[in-house]
Amino acid sequence: MIKKIDLSGIWNFELDPDKKGIEARLFDKTKNDTITLPGTTSIAKKGTFSDKKETGFLTDPYLFEGYAWYSKDVHIDESDTDKNIFLFLERTRLTKIWIDDTFAGEFDSLTTPHYYDITRFVKKTDFRITVLVSNVNYPTKGGHLTSPDTQTNWNGIIGEISLRIFDKIYISDVKTYPDVDKKSVTVILKTVNDTAEDKKVTLNVNAFLTDINGDTGIKAPAAEIQVIFAKGESTAEFEYFLGEDAVLWSEYTPVIYRLEISLCGSDEKTVTTFGLRKFSTTETKFLINGEPAFLRGKHDGLVFPLTGAVPADVDEWVRVMKISKSYGINHYRYHTCCPPEAAFIAADLLGIYMEPQLPFWGTLTAPGDENHNETEQNYLIEEGFRMLNTFGNHASYCMMSLGNELWGSKERMAEIITGYRNVDNRHLYTQGSNNFQHTPVLLPEDDFFVGVRFSKNRLIRGSYGMCDAPLGHIQWEEPSTTHNYDKEIVPDDENSGNGTDAGEEIEIQYGTGVKKVKAASADGPLIPHIPVVTHEIGQYAVYPNFKEIPKYTGVLKARNFEVFRDNLDKKGMLDQADDFFYASGMLSVQCYKEELEAAARSSLVAGYQILDLQDFPGQGTALVGILDAFMDSKGHITPEEWAGFCSDAILLAQFEKYVYTSGENFKADLAIRYYNPEKLTGKKLHYELICRDVSAAETTGFAVNGETSVVTSGDVKIPDGAKELVQLGGISFAMPETDKTAVYDLILTIDGTPYKNKYELYCYPVNDDVLSLENIASIGEGDNQVFITNEFTETKSLLKQGKKVLFMPNEVKESLEGFYCTDFWCYPMFRDICEWMKKPVAVGTMGLLIDSSHPALNDFATHRYSTPQWYKIVSHSRCAILDDVTDKDYRPIVQMADNFERNHKLGILFEGKAGDGKLMVCTSKLGEIAESTEVKQFIKSLVNYLTSDVFAPEKELDLEKLETIF
């Protein structure tokens, strides 16, 4: 290229909602408006404003779908009129272009630039370019490239808009194939020679080492290469040596080479970038330049609420990727989409391993199959080749996937992968993410596997929707730190097959709906011999943060949040919104910690892809991130704390439970999962058990507030050069004797490093004398006598007599199941799916909100949110629905936060004046769990309160209303 003419700025513009502009020859007419490009119609607020309030995703008030016409008068120098001239539109939708009044072509890529050769249409120095952009009738649905759930179905042109001018002899394309062993790069050129004869051309080749700050001042030895430019279009190839000091690219050395190729005797210069790297695999792991790499990935759906469209500037991608890196992320998986080049550049400069996908979420059929759509499939295949051709030189482009949760022909998938690999072997390929769902398959062509299970019951993540049951260990099992997935990946039982016959028609979740598909076949248990990546792990829902609403100052508006806020207000609980947000967020963090540590404890897991580090604003509004949609922290955990279990150095304590009795022996197996290139030599893993002042129990970080003391400590030797997952041995010590609730932090560190991890443990007195409250008529004496019953009729009678009553109902007619874990993904979406599939619906609650300062809990110190000592109490409870039986301002002592759609007021422990007496209701069946250490302490705390003068509730409870739910 000898010249680039920037076409950004003011363009003439006209909307064409009825799509009649071609027949009306709008390309040859004056437009009725103007618009600034790059940009979109929504950014420019073109079209009709809508006050519609979407509840399943963010609202674009100026959403326009149809044709939009963009035109600009252009001037070029006289000397350029005999050159080769191309129009470059970096990212847009479906386009057609006209030069003056002459149609000059069309392009349909959703993932790569639209690149028009307009040479033969440019006859003079001044001409008009008209671009018709259509964001309807796509060749494929487009996944998250066009979805309102993510970046919206925008209309416009974003990124670079330019004329690119080339001489008669030029290089039209450069491919770079690095060789880390030879410290060289093979360069394959596409050459163009518009003269009448072959030309021998000398190429000046230079490579400059660059990093995030620009040129480093280091360059490879220059070379002169003789190349024959044959008439017309041809190819040429040469090997370029980078020198003995060549630097490899990885997450630790994110340096790239800027390759400049100039044609001697011409102003022609071609520039590309590449990294000297080799991304490969063994049977169980990924390798970067021969060294093991563990993928700590995030899902990305191109969510940018301020613009409603993916950014094409490097600075914005560097900003968001730096945030991800600060939380330990080294891998991006793009859900049914591919970002613009700016994202690859940023990933090159920050050391992030990228996996774009074809924009497809459906069934890949073979010719002859039912509903085979040859046109769509050919489009998708071609789109993949365009992605490889456009972005393939980038060091960060390490992996490639055919799409998300695909079904259909295994043979067709294999053919497509083979076709891509034959053209470009620089990347690792996979059939897709979570293909065939309950009946996964492994293809010989797969370089790695991405999924959630190897059969219906061989689960490799911690949480699932009810439509994909069975649920994961984080949802069903009491919290511990021992679970790993190795036996699920390679089971001892050779009969661990898929449990579904080939060809059997089954019903599956499909996006936000349901479809019927035929199960794939699998002969015997599925045993992988390629790296395993766990798919979309996490999805732990957090209640909306209504204080986020004012941040939506750009294209997208959080009208869904406004609806949720107004609904909560109608239920009389708006004053609890911040508490619901906080409590659910803190539980979500605990779930994510166990999710990521379970993967880290699994030697056969090669990586994971979190859904998500940030909120997903669509599909019913899935607020599953520890960051909001803007990549800003929600305040529930710091990057440093998160890095304790999501980094290249994870210190692990593996123990059976979080709750202990005074004097009980604590045992844990310590381990490290380590990938940092800085070798650990002469190091020890240091552990400390710190007793925390329970008055400071809200502290979540390593800097513990309040009075603390080190109870016990020790060191475990780390083998020199420890790499990957290394078991370090066990530790054992007696928990301190205590006559009250004690909270401890088990803190793991390595001296001289930033590596830390923390576990919060709970210890209680022996409490052998605590009554179980089963078959006991009353406790206490005199005025402090409290009657205990599980019959409401008796409760009502006692209260009318002015008695104190602890009511522990056998049944709560209007209630929800007590479920410890927060909701999966988004209750409205999966509720609908489960109902369509006629499967049980999830409980849909979001963790406890506890009045931790209430005197009933004086002897049961607790956070305001769920922690493991509540697991049994919650799991053996029914959450009473108190919406219509209490005043709007009434608040339970122990409340279960509900999801934003129902907003039930849910009580597990609540009190009030009732009749002429005083009532405490506990819906947990404490008798079933009375031997548990924490339950004994809970009962003790409850009894101490009930039999004291302090038991004097002020809020009134209506017995007649209460009777309707018991």
Side-chain angles (χ1 to χ4, degrees), residues 503-544:
E504 177 184 343
E505 190 171 70
I506 59 175
E507 205 168 34
I508 56 112
Q509 174 209 343
Y510 178 63
T512 58
V514 174
K515 74 182 295 188
K516 288 184 178 180
V517 296
K518 290 183 178 180
S521 63
D523 300 324
L526 202 63
I527 308 297
H529 296 281
I530 52 178
V532 172
V533 178
T534 59
H535 166 78
E536 294 186 352
I537 68 172
Q539 307 191 45
Y540 299 108
V542 178
Y543 200 83

Side-chain angles (χ1 to χ4, degrees), residues 34 147 182 281 376 427 441-442 465 493:
T34 60
S147 168
K182 297 171 68 176
T281 67
E376 179 185 38
H427 323 286
V441 299
L442 295 167
D493 180 6

